[in-house]
Amino acid sequence: MSTVLPGTQVSARGLQWEVVHTEPAGEQQRFRLRCIQGDLRGEEFDLLHPLEEVTPVSTELDPTRAGRLKQWLLYHQAFLLEQALGPNALVAVQPGRLEIAPYQLVPVMRALRMSRPRLLLADGVGLGKTIQAGLVMAELIAQRRAHRILIVSPAGPLLNRWHREMRTRFGLRFTAIKDAGELQEARRGLVLGANPFDHVSFCLTSIDFAKQEKVLQDLERTCWDLVVIDEAHHCVRMGRAGDWEDSRRRRLAELLARQTDGLLLLTATPHDGYDPHFASIVDLLDPSLLNARGNLRGEGYRKHVVRRLKQHIKDAETVKRILDRYCELTEKGEEQAESRKQRLRTLRDYRRRLERYGTLSWEEEQDHADLEAEEMAAELLSSGTNDLAGQIDALQREQRRERGRLRRVDATRGALAELVGCAGEAAKEDPKREAVLREVRSIRQAEPETNILVYTEYTDSQDEVIGCLRTAADGPTSSHGGQRLDTASAEDAARREEAYQAITRLVAERGVITSRDAQEITGLDASRVRPHLQRLVSEGLAVAEGQRRGRKYRRVDHA
């Protein structure tokens, strides 16, 4: 009787029953039965067997007599549901040409547990968000849950990398529509008025192209099974702080979120320190996670967010747990099926609590990690270790290559340090000074009694030349003229201020002056007088009258 399946008709207490569920209860077997006749029809009771007699109802098979079509359809649907894969089953056994780290399977498993997979992949830089999104896409395609996929990414190298990674690692050939020319080319082969996006199953486009009004109209008239938006932090709701471009990106993200069942948002910076911005990203995943004020409602959003940093990935500790459990299993032999069932049931309970509440206690997290290590060790024991040995060899080769690369980096760093030292020595040499010295020596060698004049604009340069010639025993007899660099700008500013004050006094005395009057009083030309006159006007001391030629400047009398 322990092998009775749910749905089997049995007889107990003189009535006909249907088995709902069976489970062991010590030495007894507990049956959950639903009555199918009499006054108790539809009621459910628990009976213990063999304490109470529970006998399966057997009917003879008569091939000449057809059964009821309604019952056959019900049995057929039940059979199909029995064949359905559970939420933890992966159809794509080898989804891509890559080595998958255990933590990269977390988004896939979480997406499979959702009827509408909508996740925010917010792992740190370098943890492979592109690979994780590709794994989700490959698994949803393998389970026939995704037939039309759209990837939206910033234009440029990032867009090209998406196209290359999906093709080389997962065998997914996306059609890139990155500009108006490619959109027109896709439209040319269709009937008049057709939407090009309806005829592209796997589409790749840039966010700045898709936000255009005409492209938005085409995207609004189609739907997708899965949409992936990379660098999703560009699609936050900026409010008054944003510009028109930010609002158009936000409008695109909201439109795509409405037109798809599955949504993956990828960003390494989900929170910029401003809570409303993060809440606007969560709003794209599920608006019910926010309250009427636009704030996050409780901790429900956590089941939609996958956030790990590099310090969270503790591969060495996990591998040690798996090794310890693997050694125990090899000593004991194959573990009992009942023990594995209990472990899987406990793991399932932990995952449900984690999905519902978003967190576990410290003790529960440790227990959860131990149980997962035991399950992985059991799978290794049952499936063999050939693949694991090959992966270890590949890792060792990668480590050797990395050590060689580090040695080359150290050698390059030493060469650069030596080059910096050479540059410091070369900075002491002045090619212009050496050229002057060579020229003076060549002149003296040809005509020893010739006087040489060296002109410089600033006295600093003149002092440098004098010091060079004195060091070479060709010192000058006299030097004069020029000005120093640090005083030239101060003297110019003083002269300009003096000219401006002279013009100010002139307009105060005469009331009306012209540009020629200002030139006469200052001795400057028209181009240098013009800024002083414009300054008079800007400071409200005078107003300009007339055209440019013959313009007059009249004094302004303040009350």
Side-chain angles (χ1 to χ4, degrees):
M1 290 295 295
S2 60
T3 59
V4 176
L5 298 177
T8 303
Q9 291 188 8
V10 297
S11 175
R13 297 184 180 181
L15 296 174
Q16 299 290 325
W17 306 79
E18 184 180 56
V19 177
V20 178
H21 177 65
T22 63
E23 61 180 358
E27 297 180 354
Q28 304 288 329
Q29 188 77 11
R30 181 184 292 112
F31 285 84
R32 170 62 63 88
L33 304 179
R34 181 186 296 113
C35 187
I36 58 175
Q37 67 174 185
D39 296 336
L40 298 178
R41 179 187 296 272
E43 298 290 336
E44 294 185 1
F45 292 89
D46 289 341
L47 300 181
L48 295 177
H49 176 78
L51 181 63
E52 293 191 54
E53 186 66 24
V54 178
T55 306
V57 177
S58 61
T59 57
E60 296 183 358
L61 180 63
D62 186 3
T64 62
R65 181 182 177 184
R68 296 181 181 180
L69 180 61
K70 183 178 180 181
Q71 294 178 349
W72 181 87
L73 288 175
L74 183 62
Y75 173 78
H76 183 65
Q77 293 175 358
F79 177 78
L80 293 178
L81 291 174
E82 188 180 15
Q83 304 303 314
L85 297 172
N88 298 325
L90 296 179
V91 177
V93 179
Q94 185 61 31
R97 302 177 182 90
L98 70 163
E99 295 181 1
I100 304 173
Y103 71 89
Q104 292 177 330
L105 294 175
V106 173
V108 185
M109 306 305 296
R110 191 174 295 188
L112 294 181
R113 298 190 189 105
M114 297 180 174
S115 58
R116 301 178 69 209
R118 302 173 81 88
L119 293 174
L120 171 61
L121 303 185
D123 286 350
V125 178
L127 294 183
K129 292 185 291 297
T130 304
I131 299 300
Q132 296 178 52
L135 291 173
V136 174
M137 286 186 275
E139 187 61 33
L140 292 180
I141 293 173
Q143 295 196 11
R144 299 183 180 181
R145 294 177 58 182
H147 303 278
R148 289 173 46 77
I149 300 177
L150 173 66
I151 298 177
V152 182
S153 168
L158 193 57
L159 188 69
N160 297 331
R161 191 185 73 178
W162 271 100
H163 192 272
R164 182 178 63 256
E165 293 285 332
M166 294 299 105
R167 178 173 55 84
T168 58
R169 295 188 180 274
F170 298 94
L172 301 177
R173 297 185 177 274
F174 278 79
T175 301
I177 301 180
K178 299 178 290 186
D179 50 39
E182 294 180 351
L183 182 62
Q184 187 63 27
E185 184 66 24
R187 196 189 303 273
R188 186 174 293 113
L190 306 175
V191 298
L192 183 64
N195 188 352
F197 292 104
D198 285 337
H199 298 268
V200 180
S201 297
F202 296 159
C203 183
L204 178 65
T205 186
S206 68
I207 186 171
D208 290 323
F209 172 68
K211 71 184 181 183
Q212 300 178 17
E213 188 64 32
K214 292 183 179 180
V215 183
L216 280 175
Q217 294 176 3
D218 290 335
L219 290 173
E220 192 173 9
R221 293 189 291 112
T222 188
C223 59
W224 306 91
D225 298 321
L226 179 65
V227 171
V228 180
I229 301 179
D230 197 7
E231 303 297 331
H233 54 273
H234 294 309
C235 300
V236 300
R237 186 185 294 112
M238 301 295 293
R240 296 182 179 179
D243 55 13
W244 188 52
E245 295 294 328
D246 294 328
S247 64
R248 292 206 299 173
R249 293 192 189 102
R250 177 65 187 184
R251 180 185 173 192
L252 169 65
E254 292 177 347
L255 186 148
L256 294 177
R258 294 194 303 267
Q259 300 297 111
T260 181
D261 280 338
L263 179 63
L264 297 181
L265 303 179
L266 278 62
T267 177
T269 55
H271 203 300
D272 59 356
Y274 192 53
D275 290 340
H277 290 176
F278 177 70
S280 67
I281 296 180
V282 176
D283 183 43
L284 296 174
L285 300 173
D286 189 354
S288 65
L289 299 175
L290 274 64
N291 56 25
R293 296 182 178 180
N295 300 323
L296 292 175
R297 180 180 293 166
E299 302 293 328
Y301 71 92
R302 291 186 179 273
K303 67 178 181 180
H304 296 273
V305 179
V306 179
R307 172 69 168 171
R308 283 84 52 90
L309 301 177
K310 288 187 177 180
Q311 58 265 29
H312 297 155
I313 309 302
K314 303 178 180 179
D315 291 336
E317 182 180 354
T318 303
V319 172
K320 186 177 183 303
R321 289 178 179 176
I322 296 174
L323 175 61
D324 296 339
R325 182 54 180 164
Y326 183 80
C327 294
E328 294 177 5
L329 291 177
T330 52
E331 293 175 358
K332 294 180 181 178
E334 193 74 21
E335 67 173 344
Q336 299 295 325
E338 184 63 30
S339 175
R340 188 168 187 178
K341 285 183 180 179
Q342 292 294 336
R343 181 174 64 249
L344 293 176
R345 186 178 296 111
T346 306
L347 276 173
R348 192 181 305 114
D349 292 340
Y350 278 143
R351 288 166 182 165
R352 287 176 179 173
R353 293 183 61 184
L354 190 61
E355 181 178 353
R356 182 174 181 181
Y357 301 108
T359 184
L360 297 172
S361 65
W362 185 85
E363 293 81 3
E364 291 172 340
E365 286 183 353
Q366 297 298 316
D367 190 24
H368 185 214
D370 292 336
L371 291 175
E372 286 186 336
E374 291 181 7
E375 181 61 22
M376 294 178 68
E379 291 180 358
L380 285 175
L381 185 63
S382 61
S383 61
T385 59
N386 293 332
D387 294 340
L388 181 61
Q391 292 180 7
I392 292 175
D393 292 339
L395 287 175
Q396 290 175 347
R397 290 194 298 271
E398 182 66 24
Q399 287 180 350
R400 288 193 293 270
R401 287 195 296 268
E402 184 65 18
R403 284 195 292 268
R405 188 187 69 83
L406 290 177
R407 285 194 295 269
R408 292 192 297 272
V409 169
D410 292 338
T412 304
R413 186 181 293 114
L416 289 175
E418 184 178 356
L419 184 61
V420 169
C422 294
E425 294 295 330
K428 301 177 182 178
E429 303 296 331
D430 189 349
K432 292 184 179 180
R433 185 177 59 187
E434 298 297 330
V436 170
L437 184 59
R438 286 196 302 269
E439 187 67 22
V440 169
R441 285 178 176 176
S442 63
I443 296 174
R444 285 288 175 86
Q445 186 176 2
E447 300 179 16
E449 301 300 329
T450 301
N451 292 327
I452 303 173
L453 298 180
V454 180
Y455 291 94
T456 62
E457 182 177 0
Y458 298 105
T459 57
D460 303 76
S461 303
Q462 189 180 72
D463 295 341
E464 184 70 21
V465 173
I466 292 173
C468 176
L469 294 177
R470 284 177 177 170
T471 303
D474 293 321
T477 56
S478 62
S479 64
H480 58 82
Q483 56 183 351
R484 295 191 177 275
L485 293 172
D486 54 355
T487 59
S489 58
E491 293 177 359
D492 291 342
R495 285 196 297 269
R496 287 194 299 270
E497 184 63 25
E498 183 180 355
Y500 175 70
Q501 295 298 333
I503 296 174
T504 303
R505 289 193 296 269
L506 182 64
V507 73
E509 294 172 359
R510 297 186 182 181
V512 178
I513 65 171
T514 62
S515 176
R516 185 175 298 276
D517 297 333
Q519 296 177 36
E520 293 176 354
I521 194 65
T522 59
L524 302 176
D525 57 15
S527 61
R528 296 191 177 183
V529 166
R530 190 177 300 113
H532 298 304
L533 296 174
Q534 293 175 352
R535 181 181 172 185
L536 280 175
V537 176
S538 63
E539 293 183 356
L541 300 178
V543 294
E545 298 178 350
Q547 300 297 324
R548 182 170 183 178
R549 289 189 176 183
R551 178 173 295 176
K552 296 181 180 180
Y553 296 87
R554 184 179 301 277
R555 181 186 62 199
V556 175
D557 296 325
H558 298 280

